[in-house]
Amino acid sequence: MFATSLRTLAALAVLSGPVLADGLPGLRGHDHTGVTVPDMKQAVDFFTGVLGCEKAMSFGPFADDKGTFMTDLVGVDAKAVIHEITLVRCGFGSNIELFQYSAPDQRDLKAKNSDIGAFHIALYVDDIAAAKAYLDGKGVATRLGPLPIEQGPAAGQTILYFQAPWGMQFEAISYPEGMAYEKDAKTVLWDPKNPAK
């Protein structure tokens, strides 16, 4: 009976895919990144009109003027208000969820990439030089680049950092021939050129 149980468990493991120790149960992948923006219309205009993402849905507002629902649910001041939530989809990537909040203790972080807790959103493009010219033509603030990476595991990628009008950090990235690490990698990164892989 013990051998039968082991065979059953082994069969279930094969059917359910790889088993990772101490992983989040049922993890399938990255669904979305949430970002708080100062003005929803400005943000949606930038994501759709400049970057070319598509708006999928909007909803809200959410508030609790009598209790602690907002603190209990999302860890913000109890009097915080989510005026609107909008989700956009950018090509083959995961979703981006935009929030417009007001709160008694709200701060405007204007974080640099070096600040702990700071972040940027990287968008894969097929032609990074064309992306740079396009961003320049739209008056979007860009940094040094496009910068090709020629050594190390990331060799093969080219990057360009840029900013939304409200200061949010972005990166355009391209690696049409892949990256150096891939030739010996046991695990490869998700690739928007081949999203099903």
Side-chain angles (χ1 to χ4, degrees):
M1 180 163 152
F2 181 71
T4 304
S5 296
L6 284 178
R7 280 194 296 274
T8 303
L9 286 174
L12 287 173
V14 169
L15 291 174
S16 64
V19 177
L20 303 176
D22 298 325
L24 185 62
L27 175 66
R28 292 205 174 244
H30 182 255
D31 182 79
H32 69 269
T33 296
V35 178
T36 300
V37 299
D39 180 275
M40 187 62 75
K41 181 181 181 331
Q42 177 192 44
V44 171
D45 287 350
F46 183 77
F47 274 91
T48 61
V50 175
L51 298 181
C53 304
E54 295 181 54
K55 179 179 172 180
M57 68 169 168
S58 292
F59 54 99
F62 297 98
D64 178 5
D65 59 353
K66 292 183 176 63
T68 60
F69 174 76
M70 296 299 286
T71 303
D72 298 341
L73 182 67
V74 289
V76 299
D77 187 281
K79 300 300 178 208
V81 176
I82 300 173
H83 298 283
E84 184 178 335
I85 299 171
T86 296
L87 281 109
V88 297
R89 183 169 177 182
C90 304
F92 291 112
S94 58
N95 309 302
I96 299 171
E97 186 176 31
L98 306 173
F99 290 83
Q100 185 175 341
Y101 270 95
S102 62
D105 60 349
Q106 188 172 44
R107 297 178 296 153
D108 187 350
L109 299 177
K110 295 277 193 289
K112 299 184 300 283
N113 283 313
S114 58
D115 291 335
I116 293 172
F119 64 92
H120 68 274
I121 293 178
L123 301 170
Y124 188 91
V125 296
D126 292 325
D127 184 337
I128 204 159
K132 163 76 169 149
Y134 172 82
L135 292 168
D136 288 346
K138 292 284 191 178
V140 175
T142 61
R143 305 212 180 283
L144 173 71
L147 177 71
I149 308 300
E150 297 172 346
Q151 296 181 354
Q157 69 175 234
T158 302
I159 61 172
L160 172 70
Y161 280 81
F162 63 98
Q163 275 181 261
W166 63 94
M168 185 175 155
Q169 304 285 332
F170 287 86
E171 176 186 3
I173 186 169
S174 192
Y175 39 92
E177 305 301 320
M179 290 181 265
Y181 87 95
E182 294 172 20
K183 69 177 180 173
D184 298 319
K186 179 180 171 190
T187 300
V188 295
L189 297 170
W190 178 79
D191 184 346
K193 299 185 312 297
N194 189 0
K197 185 175 171 187

